[in-house]
Every structure is written in C-alpha cells, then in structure tokens.
Amino acid sequence: MCVYIWVCMYFCCSPNNMTRSMVMYQFIEDERVRNVTMRKRKASLMKKMNELKILCDVDACLVMYETDDSPPDVWPSPSEAHRVIQKFNKSPMWSSNALQDHSAYLQKQIAKMKKQLAKEKEKNMKHLMVKCLFDENALREVNNQEVLDGVRSAIDSEIEAIDDMINEAQEKAKTKMVFRTFF
C-alpha cells in the first residue's frame, strides 16, 4: 500500500487560550523567516511521514522540490523513494488507463449528467402525456414547441410499444390455435 501526502494543513496554538487556530497561509516576504519556516515545516513533515510509515506499516516516501534549482529533498533515501514510486506505478489501481486528467473527468461527468437529464425529460414527457389523456386542457398552458414535440415523441413511442404488444399477443394466439388444431 502506498501513501502519498499531497496537502498538509498546519495548525498552531494560540498563547492566550491554548486552543488550535488556523494559520493564515500566505507568502512569507522575509527570506530569512521563510527559510526558517521551510526548514521547520520540512522537518515536521518528514517526522510525520516516518510516524505514518511506522504506525500504519505502509510504504511511504517524500520528494520535496524547493523553488530554486537546488536538488530535491528525498525521504527516507533516493533509492527507497524510487522503489516506492516504482511500486506505485506498477499498482493496477494507479495504471495509466485508470488515471485521467481533469478535463476527461469533467467530460465523463457531463456525459453522465446529459444521460440523466434525458431520462428526466422522458419521464416528464410521459407524465405530461398521461396528464393530457385525462385532461384535455393540459396542453393549453404549454407554449413551448420543444415540450410539445417531446409529448408527441412520448406518445409515438407508447403507441409503438402497444403495437408491439398487440403483435406479440397475436403471434402467441396463432401458435396456440395451431397446437389446438393438432390435438
């Protein structure tokens, strides 16, 4: 099992009431303070990764790039990180076929929602069709041609379904009559 930590939230203790309060995240302008904060947070993150690895018995690694061109910080070692990443890449759950980018995900969601919308429209058209059967004034309030076409389409599909059932019943009746003539 591979565990990757992508986003970490840090909390700090307020000296007044010793309750946790959220740290305001923003760029630290002072370079000395920024470097000290980076060093402390990096050490804290590596310690948490070590605790996670020991407590949960999982393979974990950390690769951290800083903004400058310095080499990345790798925990626990470059060879161990390479082994964990190779294991991750070979995992069937994370194969390249299973992974998708944001736009592919959104396209799938849009297609799914379009199908759901089409089903709901069909259901609404059938409901309106039934309403028209029992109330002759039901369509007088509708002035949208798309809705009227949808109702007409729903009626046509229902007529086709009824015709199919009639034809099927007639075929069954013919086969029963044939068997009765032999016996």
Side-chain angles (χ1 to χ4, degrees), residues 23-50:
V23 174
M24 295 302 295
Y25 292 106
Q26 60 187 17
F27 182 72
I28 301 172
E29 297 291 334
D30 187 3
E31 187 174 348
R32 185 186 60 76
V33 174
R34 184 172 58 245
N35 289 336
V36 170
T37 303
M38 176 69 176
R39 189 174 61 247
K40 287 180 182 179
R41 296 274 175 103
K42 189 186 324 178
S44 174
L45 184 58
M46 289 182 183
K47 181 180 175 187
K48 290 289 183 189
M49 290 294 292
N50 189 37

Side-chain angles (χ1 to χ4, degrees), residues 159-170:
I159 290 172
E160 285 180 26
I162 291 170
D163 285 342
D164 290 342
M165 288 190 291
I166 289 171
N167 290 336
E168 189 177 308
Q170 287 174 344

Side-chain angles (χ1 to χ4, degrees), residues 26-183:
Q26 60 187 17
F27 182 72
I28 301 172
E29 297 291 334
D30 187 3
E31 187 174 348
R32 185 186 60 76
V33 174
R34 184 172 58 245
N35 289 336
V36 170
T37 303
M38 176 69 176
R39 189 174 61 247
K40 287 180 182 179
R41 296 274 175 103
K42 189 186 324 178
S44 174
L45 184 58
M46 289 182 183
K47 181 180 175 187
K48 290 289 183 189
M49 290 294 292
N50 189 37
E51 291 171 0
L52 185 64
K53 183 177 180 177
I54 293 169
L55 292 173
C56 300
D57 191 29
V58 294
D59 287 333
C61 69
L62 174 70
V63 179
M64 186 181 302
Y65 288 93
E66 293 186 33
T67 56
D68 56 1
D69 292 332
S70 61
D73 294 313
V74 181
W75 177 89
S77 67
S79 60
E80 180 68 13
H82 183 69
R83 184 191 67 76
V84 171
I85 292 170
Q86 290 296 329
K87 186 176 177 182
F88 174 78
N89 288 334
K90 290 179 183 176
S91 171
M93 181 179 161
W94 296 103
S95 67
S96 61
N97 295 337
L99 293 177
Q100 56 186 341
D101 62 350
H102 189 66
S103 63
Y105 171 76
L106 288 177
Q107 291 297 325
K108 283 184 179 180
Q109 290 297 85
I110 289 170
K112 184 178 173 182
M113 296 304 279
K114 282 183 178 179
K115 276 185 178 179
Q116 187 177 357
L117 179 63
K119 284 182 182 178
E120 288 298 320
K121 279 184 177 180
E122 183 179 341
K123 194 188 321 182
N124 287 343
M125 292 305 148
K126 286 186 178 183
H127 177 73
L128 189 56
M129 177 190 69
V130 170
K131 188 177 176 182
C132 289
L133 289 174
F134 296 106
D135 182 13
E136 60 188 43
N137 296 326
L139 289 179
R140 290 190 184 192
E141 60 202 39
V142 176
N143 57 2
N144 186 344
Q145 186 62 38
E146 183 180 339
V147 172
L148 295 173
D149 290 341
V151 171
R152 182 177 43 85
S153 175
I155 291 171
D156 290 343
S157 66
E158 288 298 318
I159 290 172
E160 285 180 26
I162 291 170
D163 285 342
D164 290 342
M165 288 190 291
I166 289 171
N167 290 336
E168 189 177 308
Q170 287 174 344
E171 290 296 321
K172 284 183 181 179
K174 285 181 185 177
T175 57
K176 286 184 180 180
M177 291 178 83
V178 170
F179 285 123
R180 286 187 182 179
T181 58
F182 287 114
F183 294 108

